[in-house]
């Protein structure tokens, strides 16, 4: 059953009809972009047009862009392909980064989930050899915007490269914040494109060792025949996201603010995590005494789709490492859900969520039962 109210856009957002049309057109056409005949040249034209559209989303030259199978591969390619043995990653990075980084040093965050710049500076100064610093643009669980420009300034002063997982920020924020980043990961299905396609931008200060070898596609940086239908959809979605610009970002923030303004009267014990930081249209909402999994399941039965933690963990609901880094041992780290808005979100969905959430709170919250 499809959710009547879909508020899980940070997990994936509905595909834009124009992107779907572009995919169908590309799929119907015959031709390998590496072939030199007319059909191959036409396919190459579609590929390069999309490359320009996606690169423009983060204000980068098309020649810097390498198409991948998604944000996860783009992150792995950046970290492993950079050749930097010394890694510094924020404690709130996506699992796609943490899994590849292994036991790399974790940069602390404050109670709002923002990177501790003083801790980063200390770690940069104390280690041996050139580092790769990995800090995401927007946190996927809280929507908190990280100080990427300041991270870049500190890292470059210490001779380090900077990798930014920009999956949740692209199309939502001003790409000027990424101007100094050396490696930038993107994903199509977060902006209204298809699943299974992403990209890595490689700046002039970075070198990249290919992980997939073979035919030398993507200028030798990722071999394998490109997913042309997916890439075509990605390009159109990127162009539309860029055109929507600040207007759509502000519309969604206004809807988020409307949701959060209703919470104190409905549930004084509830807490919005990261509320003191700059955020995109995401609300990480803690309800003390009610496990996150219970909240997600209860709302799902009411026809409302939300998440707890990351949606990229094989369907598991577990204690969030992001919230643990922010809150320490506070049990609220296991009692928060994520409400994330996107291009299809309307006011009526906010009202519907609030009604269902109030009913759930009144039935399940220890504070409500004690009143």
């Amino acid at each position: 059953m499809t959710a009547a109210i879909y508020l899980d856009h940070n997990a994936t957002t509905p595909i834009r009809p124009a992107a779907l049309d572009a995919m169908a057109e590309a799929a119907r056409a015959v031709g390998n972009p590496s072939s030199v005949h007319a059909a191959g040249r036409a396919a190459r034209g579609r590929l390069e047009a999309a490359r320009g559209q996606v690169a423009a989303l983060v204000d980068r030259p098309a020649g810097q862009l390498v198409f991948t199978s998604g944000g996860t591969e783009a992150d792995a390619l950046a970290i492993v392909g950079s050749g930097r043995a010394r890694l510094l990653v924020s404690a709130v990075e996506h699992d796609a980064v943490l899994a590849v980084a292994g036991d790399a040093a974790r940069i602390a965050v404050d109670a709002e989930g923002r990177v501790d710049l003083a801790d980063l500076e200390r770690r940069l100064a104390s280690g041996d050899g050139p580092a790769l610093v990995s800090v995401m643009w927007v946190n996927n669980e809280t929507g908190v915007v990280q100080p990427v420009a300041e991270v870049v300034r500190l890292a470059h002063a210490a001779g380090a490269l900077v990798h930014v997982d920009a999956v949740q920020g692209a199309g939502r924020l001003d790409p000027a914040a990424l101007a100094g980043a050396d490696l930038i990961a993107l994903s199509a299905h977060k902006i209204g494109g298809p699943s299974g396609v992403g990209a890595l931008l490689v700046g002039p200060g970075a070198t990249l060792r290919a992980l997939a070898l073979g035919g030398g596609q993507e200028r030798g940086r990722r071999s394998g025949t490109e997913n042309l239908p997916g890439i075509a959809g990605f390009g159109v979605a990127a162009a539309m996201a860029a055109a929507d610009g600040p207007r759509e970002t502000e519309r969604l923030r206004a809807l988020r603010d409307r949701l959060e303004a209703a919470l104190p009267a409905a549930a004084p014990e509830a807490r919005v995590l990261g509320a003191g930081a700059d955020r995109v249209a995401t609300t990480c909402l803690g309800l003390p005494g009610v496990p996150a999994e219970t909240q997600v399941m209860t709302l799902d039965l009411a026809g409302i789709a939300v998440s707890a933690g990351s949606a990229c963990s094989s369907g598991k609901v577990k204690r969030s490492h992001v919230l643990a880094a922010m809150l320490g041992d506070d049990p609220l780290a296991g009692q928060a859900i994520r409400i994330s808005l996107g291009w299809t979100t309307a006011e009526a969905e906010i009202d519907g969520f609030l009604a269902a959430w109030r009913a759930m709170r009144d039935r399940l919250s220890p504070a409500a039962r004690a009143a």
Side-chain angles (χ1 to χ4, degrees):
M1 179 181 72
T2 302
I5 297 177
Y6 185 81
L7 298 176
D8 197 20
H9 291 263
N10 285 9
T12 193
T13 199
I15 193 166
R16 299 173 188 263
L20 195 58
D21 290 344
M23 292 178 67
E25 181 180 352
R28 283 192 293 266
V30 177
N32 187 312
S34 296
S35 297
V36 297
H37 48 59
R41 294 195 303 273
R44 171 61 60 179
R46 293 187 189 91
L47 178 71
E48 296 308 324
R51 192 186 308 276
Q53 290 172 312
V54 176
L57 182 62
V58 287
D59 200 21
R60 290 297 180 101
Q64 293 186 2
L65 190 139
V66 182
F67 282 114
T68 68
S69 64
T72 295
E73 185 193 345
D75 283 334
L77 180 58
I79 294 170
V80 180
S82 72
R84 297 283 173 110
R86 183 178 169 221
L87 302 176
L88 301 175
V89 303
S90 89
V92 296
E93 290 304 297
H94 192 281
D95 284 338
V97 169
L98 297 181
V100 178
D103 61 357
R106 301 294 194 262
I107 308 160
V109 297
D110 65 18
E112 302 294 345
R114 293 170 297 213
V115 166
D116 184 334
L117 295 173
D119 186 52
L120 170 60
E121 192 167 18
R122 284 192 298 270
R123 292 180 182 278
L124 285 166
S126 64
D128 294 326
L132 175 69
V133 177
S134 185
V135 172
M136 66 200 327
W137 195 8
V138 171
N139 188 268
N140 54 301
E141 296 188 30
T142 64
V144 168
V145 180
Q146 298 292 354
V148 170
E150 285 300 297
V151 169
V152 168
R153 181 182 65 80
L154 293 173
H156 284 181
L161 296 177
V162 177
H163 159 243
V164 178
D165 181 331
V167 165
Q168 298 290 348
R172 293 176 165 185
L173 300 173
D174 185 348
L178 302 176
D182 301 290
L183 297 154
I184 303 169
L186 304 174
S187 179
H189 74 107
K190 309 294 189 177
I191 60 169
S195 298
V197 60
L200 179 67
L201 282 297
V202 185
T207 57
L208 190 71
R209 175 172 60 87
L211 304 185
L213 305 176
Q217 288 87 351
E218 295 300 290
R219 297 173 176 84
R221 297 176 292 190
R222 184 191 184 266
S223 290
T225 301
E226 295 91 348
N227 171 12
L228 191 53
I231 287 169
F234 192 3
V236 169
M240 295 182 74
D244 289 344
R247 182 178 63 253
E248 178 67 357
T249 295
E250 290 309 308
R251 181 186 78 85
L252 294 176
R253 277 180 165 156
L255 290 177
R256 178 205 66 192
D257 292 346
R258 173 177 172 165
L259 185 158
E260 293 179 5
L263 296 174
E269 76 278 15
R271 180 176 164 194
V272 175
L273 304 177
D278 182 25
R279 289 176 293 137
V280 298
T282 298
T283 299
C284 186
L285 179 58
L287 186 59
V290 185
E293 183 174 12
T294 299
Q295 296 182 56
V296 170
M297 293 171 60
T298 301
L299 291 169
D300 184 44
L301 290 172
I304 298 172
V306 298
S307 284
S310 171
C312 301
S313 301
S314 301
K316 300 174 183 175
V317 178
K318 58 184 180 180
R319 181 178 168 87
S320 163
H321 72 275
V322 171
L323 301 186
M326 294 166 61
L327 303 177
D329 293 332
D330 190 329
L332 197 62
Q335 299 165 350
I337 59 172
R338 178 185 69 186
I339 305 108
S340 51
L341 316 186
W343 69 277
T344 62
T345 305
E347 287 188 16
E349 291 182 295
I350 302 301
D351 295 338
F353 166 81
L354 285 169
W357 186 84
R358 287 189 192 103
M360 177 188 71
R361 177 263 176 186
D362 290 347
R363 187 168 75 255
L364 300 178
S365 170
R369 294 198 301 268

